[in-house]
Amino acid sequence: MKIPDAILARLAANEQVAKKFHHIEISVLTILNFQDFFEQLLTKVGQTFQIPHVWISIIQESAIADQILAMEDSAVLKSSTSFITHSTFLRLIGSYRQPLLANQNLDRFSPLVPPEAHYDIGSIAIAPLFIDGELIGSLNQADQVCDRFMPGIDTDLLARLSLKISLCLSNVAAHEKLRHLAFHDPLTGLLNRRVMETILEREFERAKRYCTPLSVVFLDLDHFKRINDTFGHDQGDRALVCFAQSLGAAKRANDIVARFAGDEFVVILPSTTRQETDSYLARLNALLAQQPVKVNQSCFQINFSWGVASISDLGINRSADLLRHADQQLYVTKKNKKTLSG
């Protein structure tokens, strides 16, 4: 029996679309960071299918939301990413795991559109994306033409693309997690000692070259052993996390905060003199005063000691000298506190 020409034409068209999807998959398959992955994906989908509007929506509570928000230097993601709550996302697309097509009542999908975007949308295709089974958002395509994504059109190929993108995303997420652990302290999320020392060397060389100030603050918690002994190690960890968060909240955009070891932390303050570190320490003290750590019916205040060293101090010839001098100043401060407390 002869196959009708219309079916043959449809099969041929589907084969061409499948080849284009395969080309997109190959182009993103080896990318192992979120920024390059999404930039390449959005660009390729738009170019390959000549779709005027392609963007992603990320669920705010998803595992990758913070990492996407941190990509401030990505122009593509700034203009082509929206963030949406999980409840709003489900209200728009329901519990569908398949792509959703629409060309009527499109105003209801406005929460999916990037805030600064001004899209002329006649029809839209929303393909849910998953990482290890968790719904994290969607790949969205829109056209001015009303019948481009008309409900009832076969979405099988789009569903396959969504699945392949989701598998690639799982791979990228796993790699990004390993990379994060390589550079960050697992408890506090701050940079680890090895990365901090590398950054300090860079900032030291820059300060020397341009004759700009540079200061380092070495800090540790007062009576940390007593916290662990009195309230338990879980509460000791809470104190470390709370302190780390306050260190980060008090810093300026260019300051660097790291966990050195145990209850010891380091803050690198570029373009800051020894005297100017007082502003940072004042902000830190104010933050900690506002948030004692609560344990059942009681609470305890986090107190800390510090030592400061500046590139202008005598004997500072290397970046390691800054750390050593700041550590020595911290030791003197701790010793003086013990003397005063008797």
Side-chain angles (χ1 to χ4, degrees), residues 142-202:
D143 200 320
Q144 297 94 332
V145 180
C146 295
D147 59 0
R148 178 72 182 265
F149 301 113
M150 183 185 300
I153 294 177
D154 185 10
T155 61
D156 181 60
L157 290 174
L158 186 56
R160 283 190 229 171
L161 176 64
S162 174
L163 175 61
K164 290 177 179 180
I165 291 173
S166 294
L167 291 173
C168 289
L169 270 175
S170 296
N171 189 37
V172 174
H175 185 270
E176 289 278 32
K177 184 176 181 180
L178 288 174
R179 190 174 70 156
H180 181 84
L181 290 174
F183 293 105
H184 295 79
D185 169 57
L187 175 64
T188 63
L190 296 179
L191 295 174
N192 59 34
R193 175 178 176 175
R194 179 176 62 84
V195 176
M196 179 275 297
E197 289 175 341
T198 301
I199 293 174
L200 180 58
E201 175 67 23
R202 181 197 68 197

Side-chain angles (χ1 to χ4, degrees), residues 211-259:
C211 298
T212 56
L214 173 65
S215 294
V216 168
V217 187
F218 217 121
L219 315 94
D220 73 2
L221 273 64
D222 291 341
H223 311 300
F224 183 60
K225 183 177 184 301
R226 186 185 303 171
I227 294 173
N228 281 329
D229 292 345
T230 305
F231 300 102
H233 288 278
D234 286 346
Q235 299 305 324
D237 285 349
R238 279 187 63 199
L240 291 173
V241 171
C242 180
F243 188 58
Q245 291 172 341
S246 296
L247 287 170
K251 79 179 188 70
R252 302 164 306 180
N254 294 328
D255 299 336
I256 297 99
V257 180
R259 185 182 182 190

Side-chain angles (χ1 to χ4, degrees), residues 120-153:
D120 180 14
I121 299 177
S123 58
I124 188 171
I126 305 167
L129 298 174
F130 300 85
I131 291 182
D132 298 330
E134 177 198 358
L135 179 66
I136 59 96
S138 60
L139 172 67
N140 311 300
Q141 305 170 64
D143 200 320
Q144 297 94 332
V145 180
C146 295
D147 59 0
R148 178 72 182 265
F149 301 113
M150 183 185 300
I153 294 177

Side-chain angles (χ1 to χ4, degrees), residues 7 46 63 89 111 141 147 180 217 254 260 296 298 304 323 331:
I7 295 179
F89 192 87
Q141 305 170 64
D147 59 0
H180 181 84
V217 187
N254 294 328
F260 190 79
N296 299 324
S298 63
F304 66 98
L323 276 180
Y331 174 79

Side-chain angles (χ1 to χ4, degrees), residues 101-117:
L101 307 182
N103 61 357
Q104 293 182 353
N105 302 319
L106 298 179
D107 286 346
R108 69 185 190 275
F109 296 113
S110 58
L112 291 175
V113 178
E116 298 181 2

